[in-house]
Amino acid sequence: MSAAPAFVVKGGRLVDATGVRSGDVVVGDDGSIVAVGPDLSAPETLDAAGCVVSPGFVDIHSHLREPGKEEAETVETGARGAAVGGYTCILAMPNTTPAIDSASVVREVLDLGRSAPCDVRTSGAITVGRAGSQLAPMAELAGLGVTLFTDDGAGVQDNLLMRRAMEYAAGLGVTLAQHCEDDALCGGGHMHEGEWSSRLGIAGQPAEAEELMVMRDIALARLTGAKLHFQHMSTAGSLAMIAGAKAAGLDITCESTTHHFTLTHANCATYDPVFKVNPPLRTDEDVAAVKAGIGNGTVDCIATDHAPHTPDDKIQPFDEAPPGMLGLETALALALTELDLEIEQIVGLLSWKPAAIIGADDRHGRPIAEGNPANLCVFDPDEEWTIDGAAMQSKSRNTPYAGRRVRGRVRHTILEGEAVVRNGEPTR
Ligand code: DOR
């Protein structure tokens, strides 16, 4: 039996991987798109006048803190913030307590996600406890649907172990993702090593701490043939190496975060730990390189590295506070405000490109066409607003953008045919 029309998304500009056009989108009661075209009607209307209608966004780098740190975020609150940010799918990072390194924790996170207003998928840890000494049961986790493995929050330091992980991943057909930081060279630094760390008297970590691991992992990808994804790339040198590796035909992708193209190490001048993050905020030249990489395709997608921390944790002195900042509710606006790109490029960087990296393109990032799942974002690209941490869905408040004027706001998010955000407000 075919689906009955439930509502129509009316009057928007449709932007997907096939291009840009105007049209209405009828969503059926089975959660799929049942018609696309001019002048369509349905029992209910969602207004999209002046808006872009796009496939929902996909964040492949979200810290959801559950299990273990539910006072900072839960799967439910993280997913709700994601929905308000236009995301229909997010990938949980494994640095929870316990780490997502076993079948039982994978199942727990996926179970928690089932009632959430966003499709919650999870990464798996590369090593047991993310401790960097013994491989996690990757085949078992892959059997539960895990497509991307990372020890995020830390990089795998041991060269031989990383080689073995890549060999194993290549056999399983999964992607290894690396948080690139050479611990020894970081030397316990709390921000980027440079003019600002000297001025502020805060121990720094050099750009080379990231770049050495990028260099090593490119070499190991060449050796093993593994599919490799570089997380939160932040330096000009890293991006130059990745561009070279891609040109040489290696199966490599990378992401940059919104904060690495909007903030610099100069933001740490107030000693406010809200600007403390790993990898650290870098120089103007690095920000320019990240923006250029996003524009020329070296950077495959934008990720948030959404990293909630409670006020009690974040209020500590700079060198004691945990690194990380919120991202899910501000990524679209920051991209639209700060990147000089066509709208379809920005939507691609937030939607179908990250979806492909984690294999979520079975349901997300798909063209707005009859028969596809209704996972959609409707946003006004011109609406100006002021970022306010207190108004966020996240349980935490550590946004570095409080008070910043931005352009572009999500109006509705549709998950499997249900409007989980209407007029900017979550419906559940
Ligand atoms: O700043 C960061 N915070 N970088 C990471 O890689 C981990 C994250 C966290 O979990 O808080």
Side-chain angles (χ1 to χ4, degrees):
M1 205 179 75
S2 64
F7 61 88
V8 58
V9 181
K10 202 152 189 62
R13 185 157 49 113
L14 312 187
V15 176
D16 63 19
T18 70
V20 182
R21 66 246 177 244
S22 56
D24 299 338
V25 182
V26 177
V27 174
D29 60 3
D30 66 345
S32 73
I33 294 170
V34 294
V36 181
D39 302 322
L40 299 177
S41 58
E44 205 199 329
T45 298
L46 273 189
D47 179 30
C51 287
V52 167
V53 181
S54 77
F57 306 147
V58 176
D59 185 38
I60 64 173
H61 200 139
S62 290
H63 295 274
L64 301 178
R65 303 297 187 225
E66 195 174 5
K69 196 82 180 157
E70 290 81 357
E71 60 276 31
E73 198 76 290
T74 62
V75 169
E76 175 78 22
T77 59
R80 193 170 299 122
V84 166
Y87 291 88
T88 54
C89 180
I90 52 177
L91 187 75
M93 288 295 106
N95 60 338
T96 48
T97 312
I100 307 177
D101 64 357
S102 68
S104 62
V105 186
V106 165
R107 283 201 191 93
E108 179 181 354
V109 172
L110 295 178
D111 282 349
L112 287 164
R114 274 183 239 293
S115 56
C118 191
D119 180 356
V120 178
R121 302 186 181 201
T122 188
S123 62
I126 298 172
T127 68
V128 174
R130 299 173 44 258
S133 55
Q134 190 191 336
L135 288 184
M138 289 168 61
E140 192 184 4
L141 307 195
L144 295 172
V146 175
T147 59
L148 181 142
F149 290 81
T150 172
D151 274 0
D152 187 61
V156 177
Q157 304 296 310
D158 185 291
N159 300 341
L160 180 59
L161 191 69
M162 192 60 192
R163 174 189 178 167
R164 295 286 178 245
M166 283 198 193
E167 287 169 342
Y168 210 41
L172 292 170
V174 297
T175 299
L176 275 196
Q178 186 73 283
H179 170 123
C180 290
E181 263 188 44
D182 182 283
D183 285 349
L185 195 57
C186 278
H190 302 290
M191 65 177 290
H192 175 69
E193 180 181 310
E195 116 198 41
W196 278 101
S197 63
S198 305
R199 239 184 256 187
L200 299 170
I202 296 174
Q205 46 173 281
E208 286 74 6
E210 174 176 305
E211 292 163 0
L212 271 186
M213 198 169 277
V214 171
M215 193 185 299
R216 179 202 69 178
D217 284 355
I218 288 172
L220 291 177
R222 192 182 308 119
L223 180 65
T224 61
K227 230 180 343 178
L228 178 64
H229 177 74
F230 287 113
Q231 299 176 289
H232 40 47
M233 286 293 94
S234 69
T235 83
S238 294
L239 292 173
M241 286 188 279
I242 289 168
K246 286 181 164 191
L250 297 184
D251 199 354
I252 285 178
T253 52
C254 80
E255 69 191 36
S256 283
T257 68
T258 39
H259 44 273
H260 287 118
F261 66 78
T262 53
L263 302 169
T264 73
H265 58 162
N267 287 103
C268 302
T270 57
Y271 292 94
D272 186 340
V274 81
F275 296 106
K276 180 175 178 179
V277 66
N278 276 342
L281 302 176
R282 305 283 189 187
T283 66
D284 289 327
E285 292 72 29
D286 292 313
V287 168
V290 168
K291 283 186 170 178
I294 290 173
N296 67 26
T298 302
V299 175
D300 295 275
C301 71
I302 294 171
T304 69
D305 198 359
H306 178 81
H309 292 288
T310 62
D312 280 354
D313 281 343
K314 258 308 199 190
I315 207 162
Q316 300 178 80
F318 199 97
D319 55 357
E320 287 167 39
M325 38 183 73
L326 302 182
L328 285 166
E329 297 177 60
T330 48
L332 170 71
L334 291 164
L336 287 169
T337 307
E338 299 294 334
L339 298 176
D340 191 17
L341 298 176
E342 299 296 329
I343 196 82
E344 56 266 44
Q345 279 179 284
I346 289 182
V347 174
L349 286 156
L350 289 166
S351 178
W352 55 87
K353 291 185 165 187
I357 292 170
I358 60 166
D361 47 353
D362 55 341
R363 304 206 68 79
H364 302 273
R366 303 183 69 83
I368 302 170
E370 190 182 329
N372 276 339
N375 288 316
L376 301 168
C377 173
V378 180
F379 64 92
D380 181 342
D382 300 315
E383 182 178 335
E384 293 197 8
W385 57 292
T386 303
I387 295 173
D388 173 10
M392 288 186 177
Q393 302 299 322
S394 174
K395 271 197 168 182
S396 293
R397 292 288 168 260
N398 54 309
T399 174
Y401 302 108
R404 188 149 162 159
R405 260 329 255 174
V406 286
R407 181 173 56 77
R409 196 163 205 182
V410 173
R411 192 178 289 178
H412 317 297
T413 304
I414 297 159
L415 176 70
E416 300 291 335
E418 178 191 350
V420 289
V421 174
R422 265 175 206 258
N423 298 314
E425 294 297 327
T427 56
R428 62 177 163 106

